[in-house]
């Protein structure tokens, strides 16, 4: 599998169409939306869920690499968002950035729980996903949390370096550095997998 094909598999793992929303536009929408969300307006929350549910799911999947667990985390993220919206403060980032921060925290909680409970074995879903997407997602386990976040936003969500810097609160130089190290690590993993495959022939 070539490196580009590897990234395509990661991107297509959820089989969910990706709709790119520019953050400048999202920011303007968010300013009008937060007040309604804080009033617990049902229509506003439904709209937020429908717009960002897939983004949150793909982010969780990038971290935990297991679809059922990513689904659970997605639900947790929106429940936590509903409970915490009253404390939300606009710091110049889009609402998507807030949701992704919650996603990262809940994903790390799930990973820590999995490591503590070594007797729990989570099996990959059956079918095409297990045969193609699972190995690609497993490679993401070699990356740091920050590297996974950048790879997800850059190659799965098609975000620009500028967008990612705004979401993560990092400089563009720092984002580029994280991306460079992550891609190098993924390339090394691919080469190791290829070498291992040759050894078993």
């Amino acid at each position: 599998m070539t490196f580009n094909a590897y990234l395509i598999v990661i991107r297509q793992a959820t089989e969910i169409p990706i709709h790119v929303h520019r953050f400048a536009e999202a920011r303007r929408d968010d300013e009008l939306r937060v007040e309604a969300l804080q009033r617990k307006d049902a229509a506003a929350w439904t709209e937020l869920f429908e717009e960002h549910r897939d983004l949150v799911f793909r982010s969780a999947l990038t971290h935990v690499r297991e679809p059922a667990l990513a689904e659970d985390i997605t639900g947790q993220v929106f429940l936590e968002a509903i409970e915490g919206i009253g404390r939300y403060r606009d710091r110049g980032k889009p609402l998507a950035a807030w949701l992704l921060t919650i996603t990262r925290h809940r994903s790390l909680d799930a990973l820590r729980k999995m490591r503590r409970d070594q007797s729990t074995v989570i099996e990959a879903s059956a079918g095409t996903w297990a045969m193609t997407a699972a190995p690609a997602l497993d490679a993401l386990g070699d990356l740091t949390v920050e590297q996974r976040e950048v790879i997800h936003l850059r190659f799965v969500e098609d975000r620009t370096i500028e967008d990612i810097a705004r979401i993560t609160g990092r400089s563009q130089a720092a984002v580029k550095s994280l991306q460079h190290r992550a891609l190098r690590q993924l390339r090394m993993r691919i080469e190791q997998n290829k070498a291992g495959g040759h050894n078993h022939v």
Side-chain angles (χ1 to χ4, degrees), residues 3 6-7 28 35 49 53-54 61 67 72-73 126-127 140 162 175 181 187:
F3 181 68
Y6 209 66
L7 289 176
R28 288 192 294 271
E35 184 178 346
F49 178 82
R53 182 265 175 196
D54 295 344
L61 183 61
D72 290 343
I73 291 170
L140 296 174
E162 181 181 0
V175 170
R181 292 198 299 270
R187 287 191 181 96

Side-chain angles (χ1 to χ4, degrees), residues 185-201:
Q185 186 68 29
L186 287 174
R187 287 191 181 96
M188 290 173 58
R189 173 66 176 264
I190 293 169
E191 292 302 319
Q192 290 171 358
N193 289 347
K194 287 168 63 177
H198 292 157
N199 292 336
H200 288 87
V201 174

